[in-house]
């Protein structure tokens, strides 16, 4: 079989980097997208196999279109989009959240995911053979919020709607769409959890984390399925994190 092509956004660190490395190890060719070239080249080196670096601001429609046009020109198709780029935003009470900060989180987490999905749809519909897969990075926050996370939580709930709509609209074009909701994967974004984070009752308490490689392996499994099968929603979390239960 020809090598499969995977566009990974937010590929310069964290979950995006881990997924790109895992996909490369499984024989995919990752196209690494993110705002800064240097971290993307670092991910490419970790892949230990061919990987394309395409610096991209996913909030910019023209940049996103250029990312997918470049991928199509170089490789002829897109088999997978891992829609991963995102930001938590300021962890402040809702009454203190500036509108500019709200818009920045929405632009990156939601509009960026839409722009990438739209561009992927356009390519996947016309390529031969037709079709492909989109995996959206949701969050445990798509189910239960953390204190002081209104912008992030709202966008992750919206990602679930995006996933469902993409799944429906993609059926007749062999485009599958699923979502992975991640809880406490050990990355730079979650580094503070071992020292303590705010809980629902106001306490500051440390939380368990899990190896981000376990997230990457889950994404690889979702990506490897034939297009006739789909993991619609997957939740991967640190076993002992305070998610199941009260308080």
């Amino acid at each position: 079989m020809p090598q499969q092509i995977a566009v990974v956004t937010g590929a310069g660190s964290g979950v995006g980097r881990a997924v790109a490395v895992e996909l490369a190890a499984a024989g995919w060719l990752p196209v690494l997208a993110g705002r800064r070239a240097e971290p993307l080249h670092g991910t490419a080196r970790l892949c230990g196999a061919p990987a394309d670096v395409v610096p991209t601001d996913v909030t910019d429609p023209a940049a996103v279109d250029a990312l997918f046009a470049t991928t199509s020109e170089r490789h002829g198709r897109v088999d997978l989009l891992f829609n991963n780029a995102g930001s938590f935003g300021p962890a402040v009470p809702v009454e203190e959240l500036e509108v500019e900060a709200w818009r920045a989180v929405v632009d990156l987490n939601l509009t960026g995911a839409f722009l990438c999905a739209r561009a992927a749809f356009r390519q996947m519909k016309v390529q031969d053979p037709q079709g492909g897969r989109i995996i959206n990075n949701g969050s445990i926050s798509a189910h239960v919020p953390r204190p002081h996370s209104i912008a992030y939580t709202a966008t992750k709930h919206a990602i679930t709607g995006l996933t469902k709509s993409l799944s429906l609209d993609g059926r007749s074009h062999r485009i599958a769409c699923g979502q992975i909701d991640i809880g406490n994967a050990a990355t730079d974004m979650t580094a503070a959890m071992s020292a303590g984070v705010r809980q629902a009752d106001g306490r500051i308490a440390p939380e368990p984390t899990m190896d981000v490689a376990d997230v990457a392996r889950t994404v690889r499994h979702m990506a490897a399925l034939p297009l006739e099968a789909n993991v619609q929603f997957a939740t991967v979390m640190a076993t002992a994190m305070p998610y199941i239960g009260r308080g």
Side-chain angles (χ1 to χ4, degrees), residues 57-68:
D57 178 356
V58 300
T59 68
D60 180 349
V64 170
D65 289 345
L67 164 65
F68 283 85

Side-chain angles (χ1 to χ4, degrees), residues 15-34:
V15 170
R17 170 172 281 182
V19 167
V21 171
E22 183 70 20
L23 291 174
W28 293 71
L29 192 152
V31 178
L32 310 174

Side-chain angles (χ1 to χ4, degrees), residues 75-156:
H75 307 292
R77 62 183 297 106
V78 174
D79 297 290
L80 173 69
L81 164 64
F82 181 46
N83 231 346
N84 168 70
S87 170
F88 192 82
V92 297
V94 59
E95 69 274 15
E96 297 178 14
L97 184 65
E98 299 291 341
V99 172
E100 292 77 10
W102 164 272
R103 286 177 174 158
V105 174
V106 172
D107 283 351
L108 179 56
N109 293 8
L110 181 55
T111 304
F114 157 72
L115 292 173
C116 290
R118 183 180 67 167
F121 245 68
R122 288 172 174 166
Q123 175 59 35
M124 291 172 178
K125 284 178 66 173
V126 302
Q127 61 195 17
D128 184 20
Q130 187 186 58
R133 188 181 307 275
I134 297 170
I135 301 174
N136 292 325
N137 188 349
S139 173
I140 293 291
S141 290
H143 306 274
V144 291
R146 288 187 177 278
H148 302 165
S149 67
I150 191 166
Y152 181 80
T153 295
T155 60
K156 293 306 182 178

Side-chain angles (χ1 to χ4, degrees), residues 154-173:
T155 60
K156 293 306 182 178
H157 276 261
I159 288 294
T160 299
L162 186 74
T163 298
K164 292 178 179 179
S165 288
L166 292 171
S167 295
L168 179 59
D169 293 345
R171 282 180 185 171
S172 58
H173 308 292

